[in-house]
Amino acid sequence: MTSKQIDLIIKSWERISHEPQLIQKFYDKLFEIAPETRVYFQGDIAKQSEKFAYTLGFVAGNIERMDKIKKDIEELGRIHSKLLIKEEEYSYLKEALLITIDEALDGGDNTETIQAWDHVLTYISDLMINVSRGDKNKKKTFFSKIFST
């Protein structure tokens, strides 16, 4: 990522992170784009919304150190893999989030900012998908067969 892209993400997150309905608007957009994803949110959506907002803040706050949080992102991929999130659903999430961010920025030409977010979200989803693929392709060991349930 370029320093300009990093700056755009930091500044845009500072602008929109305090919008009270940001995450709800994201979920509304996600369910509009991909209604089938609603099955992943059978529990308390407020709790999930909190986690998602925290994750976005974590990414924006560490955008200059993406290499340092790579393992955290990979772990998030493992968690989502266990939830049986499909690869194509990452693109739905990205699309919904980019639209939500663009609408939250409300005004002006946000093209470069949205491209910066697209770049980082693609990086994150690629990491999560790749770790998920790797975990699925790992040969089960004797102990992993016994102790995984």
Side-chain angles (χ1 to χ4, degrees):
M1 291 193 72
T2 67
S3 58
K4 183 174 183 176
Q5 287 175 314
I6 289 169
D7 191 50
L8 287 167
I9 289 173
I10 291 169
K11 286 184 175 162
S12 63
W13 183 246
E14 287 171 356
R15 279 182 58 198
I16 65 173
S17 64
H18 301 292
E19 183 185 321
Q21 296 299 312
L22 181 73
I23 303 302
Q24 183 59 51
K25 289 177 183 178
F26 158 74
Y27 282 115
D28 291 345
K29 185 57 67 180
L30 177 63
F31 299 148
E32 178 186 318
I33 292 168
E36 67 274 17
T37 61
R38 192 178 289 274
V39 299
Y40 300 117
F41 303 96
Q42 297 300 316
D44 183 6
I45 192 91
K47 189 168 180 78
Q48 180 59 35
S49 296
E50 227 176 81
K51 291 177 184 179
F52 188 60
Y54 177 80
T55 301
L56 288 174
F58 179 76
V59 168
N62 288 283
I63 196 71
E64 296 172 285
R65 302 174 289 283
M66 290 302 286
D67 57 317
K68 302 272 191 240
I69 64 168
K70 181 179 177 189
K71 296 238 182 272
D72 296 297
I73 295 167
E74 289 173 337
E75 181 58 25
L76 192 58
R78 286 184 189 88
I79 292 166
H80 282 77
S81 177
K82 289 176 185 174
L83 296 171
L84 304 177
I85 306 295
K86 298 177 188 101
E87 287 185 24
E88 65 270 13
E89 291 168 333
Y90 286 91
S91 65
Y92 304 147
L93 180 138
K94 185 173 80 165
E95 179 184 355
L97 188 54
L98 292 174
I99 291 168
T100 304
I101 291 169
D102 190 35
E103 290 173 355
L105 290 171
D106 193 35
D109 182 8
N110 301 320
T111 305
E112 287 184 291
T113 300
I114 297 305
Q115 287 173 344
W117 276 100
D118 183 50
H119 184 85
V120 74
L121 293 172
T122 298
Y123 172 78
I124 290 169
S125 61
D126 286 351
L127 268 179
M128 291 173 69
I129 288 167
N130 287 336
V131 76
S132 174
R133 284 179 185 161
D135 287 351
K136 287 177 186 169
N137 293 331
K138 276 186 185 173
K139 185 175 179 186
K140 294 279 188 183
T141 65
F142 173 76
F143 288 112
S144 68
K145 290 177 185 174
I146 292 173
F147 293 107
S148 66
T149 50

